[in-house]
Amino acid sequence: MVILMCSQIVERMEHFQYIVVGAGIEGSWAAYQIVRDEEKPSVLLLEQYHLPHNRGSSHGQSRIIRHAYAESFQAALMPYSYKEWRKLEKDAGVDLLVTKPLLCVSDETGYERMDRTLACLKELKEKPGYDVAFKELSPAELAANFPQAKFPNNRRAFVEYSAGILYADKCLMAVQNQFRKHGGVIRDGFEVTRIIPGKIVVIEGVCKGRTVKLTADKVALCPGPWAKKMVEPLLKGIRLPLKVYRVPVYYWKVKKNGPGVITAIYKDLGAGDFWSIPEIEYKDLVKYSSNLILYEIDPDKRDLNAEQTQPPQLARHLRDHFPGMEETPSILETCIYTSTPDEVFILDIIPDSANIAYACGFSGSGFKKAPSVGLMLKEILKPQTKMSFDETPFSVSRFMKSQL
């Protein structure tokens, strides 16, 4: 009989070639992109909550998908993302994306943003194989095409006909199911407590009341609203300029005897930053809010002192431009945005740890880009691979001058 002294006992830790932390839409797509690699690596996807849940930023029934971005490096992500969403839809055998025109309108405060957005759309449209369709509207065309809405003559507008709506909950479930079909492992209810960089990365956590240690050759961190807590301690003094917000999302009833409502997605490119999704989730209800109605929070206390009243600017905007909707919302739901100062996400590697990458700060606009984000995370962890997109605009280094 061999007896091992305590000092001789080495704890055996479960090892994976890749571990992805965070099973929201970004982490799920990163895991899916990695597990499909020709090398067929072992991949573990960790999630702190039990799936499914509504505590992060990936839950809900719908998200807008569009090519219309004012920055060319953001617009460049969308053709590939569209293609991958359609492929996932086919592979999963589930309807995930419905094409729906996007109406973008702006007053003088957003003319410059609109010009940049139109320039990006024109650039994409000119590239072969890109299915991008849009049309700029005169005030008369705006009134004729959308008679249910009221806009002053100083409004500029265009319609992107290649935009659409993603069925968010179905999308998240579909990508996780396909990840499993390719041999990936999902472990939910796993709270990561510590990450130890090294040639082999150690991840410590708690699962089902037990302390657990895992190891991986490479790690991708997609912790959403918990990015500062998880990632910042690894950055050797670099501060992530992130703010976490609770975002109220309202659903407004269509008036029975009113002029009706537009059947397009709507986005205000002006100072109000309003947006709406037509009736698709609840009967006779339009999803409508503003990206400026935000309440800074601790993500672990999302609903503490939650604001339940409707902001007056929403009702005023509806009254002025969309008279076919009632002025009091029928349903209030909640999401979380994790925002950067420039509203562009961060994707980078941990200093001196090229085998740990992270992505965060999607500023309420990351869901649609998730296939491209997942591909970038996969590629940045394989330095020998040529990057499909220019990752420079997403590097955390763009904020470092302000920290000196």
Side-chain angles (χ1 to χ4, degrees), residues 1 45 51 54 57 100 108 110 149 154 163 181 201 210 218 222 240 269 286 290 320:
M1 178 183 296
L45 177 59
L51 296 170
N54 66 356
S57 304
K100 187 74 70 170
E108 295 91 337
N154 70 334
K181 284 184 179 180
V201 183
R210 296 188 302 111
K218 299 181 180 182
C222 300
L240 293 175
L269 298 183
V286 174
S290 166
D320 292 344

Side-chain angles (χ1 to χ4, degrees), residues 238-256:
I238 299 173
R239 297 187 301 277
L240 293 175
L242 301 174
K243 290 190 176 182
V244 180
Y245 299 102
R246 183 181 69 252
V247 182
V249 178
Y250 300 91
Y251 295 79
W252 309 70
K253 194 170 184 62
V254 179
K255 291 179 181 177
K256 287 185 177 180

